[in-house]
Amino acid sequence: MSSALEPVDKAIARELNADGRCSFTDLAARVGLSVSAVHQRVRRLEERGLIKGYTARLDGDQIGLPLTALISLTPTDPAAPDDYPQRLEHIREIEACYSVAGDESYVLLVRVTSPRALEELLRQIREVANVSTRTTVVLSTPFEGRPAPI
């Protein structure tokens, strides 16, 4: 987050980061502004792209996606164009795609129904993106989706 962010906007961002469902009334009380002023500032933060959206975090087990894995991608041909995100964006099991430094080019966060589904997903990723993969299966998640330290 930019250091140019005004203290009030920083407070609003911090509160929404911790509780994206916070009402404008509650948010106004927490940051010491009127409801209309908070509404206006939130709209500006959304327009400038600081607030990218609001989402619900779902429990993978309860929605039938109990297996989470991290898949590292290494190009098979280092001279190939770096268009892996575009090649993979249609695959719904991929929850996040991170460009990383190191031996791998990207790390994908995926959620699937079973080990067999993970095996099929790996085959699909290798075929579509022409990459080699290294997979780490998540055994448990002590925490995730923590608010950013604003």
Side-chain angles (χ1 to χ4, degrees), residues 29-46:
R30 292 178 191 176
V31 300
L33 292 176
S34 69
V35 174
S36 62
V38 164
H39 187 267
Q40 202 171 48
R41 283 180 177 264
V42 168
R43 190 171 27 88
R44 266 189 272 149
L45 292 172
E46 290 170 344

Side-chain angles (χ1 to χ4, degrees), residues 13-82:
R14 183 175 29 255
E15 292 296 331
L16 287 175
N17 193 34
D19 179 8
R21 294 188 60 180
C22 183
S23 70
F24 286 124
T25 303
D26 289 342
L27 187 55
R30 292 178 191 176
V31 300
L33 292 176
S34 69
V35 174
S36 62
V38 164
H39 187 267
Q40 202 171 48
R41 283 180 177 264
V42 168
R43 190 171 27 88
R44 266 189 272 149
L45 292 172
E46 290 170 344
E47 287 171 356
R48 79 182 247 200
L50 185 127
I51 297 174
K52 294 183 176 194
Y54 305 87
T55 62
R57 291 191 305 263
L58 305 177
D59 181 289
D61 288 337
Q62 292 189 48
I63 61 170
L65 299 171
L67 196 154
T68 301
L70 301 168
I71 302 172
S72 300
L73 307 181
T74 303
T76 304
D77 176 6
D82 184 358

Side-chain angles (χ1 to χ4, degrees), residues 97-117:
C97 176
Y98 305 103
S99 175
V100 297
D103 293 335
E104 292 89 7
S105 296
Y106 292 90
V107 175
L108 308 176
L109 171 65
V110 303
R111 296 185 196 273
V112 293
T113 58
S114 66
R116 184 176 301 260

Side-chain angles (χ1 to χ4, degrees), residues 87-136:
R87 290 187 199 186
L88 299 170
E89 67 187 347
H90 70 281
I91 301 174
R92 295 180 47 94
E93 293 86 353
I94 301 173
E95 186 173 307
C97 176
Y98 305 103
S99 175
V100 297
D103 293 335
E104 292 89 7
S105 296
Y106 292 90
V107 175
L108 308 176
L109 171 65
V110 303
R111 296 185 196 273
V112 293
T113 58
S114 66
R116 184 176 301 260
L118 178 59
E119 185 175 33
E120 173 57 27
L121 177 61
L122 289 167
R123 184 203 59 73
Q124 183 181 8
I125 289 169
R126 290 182 193 126
E127 184 178 292
V128 169
N130 193 27
V131 293
S132 63
T133 61
R134 186 175 53 84
T135 304
T136 303

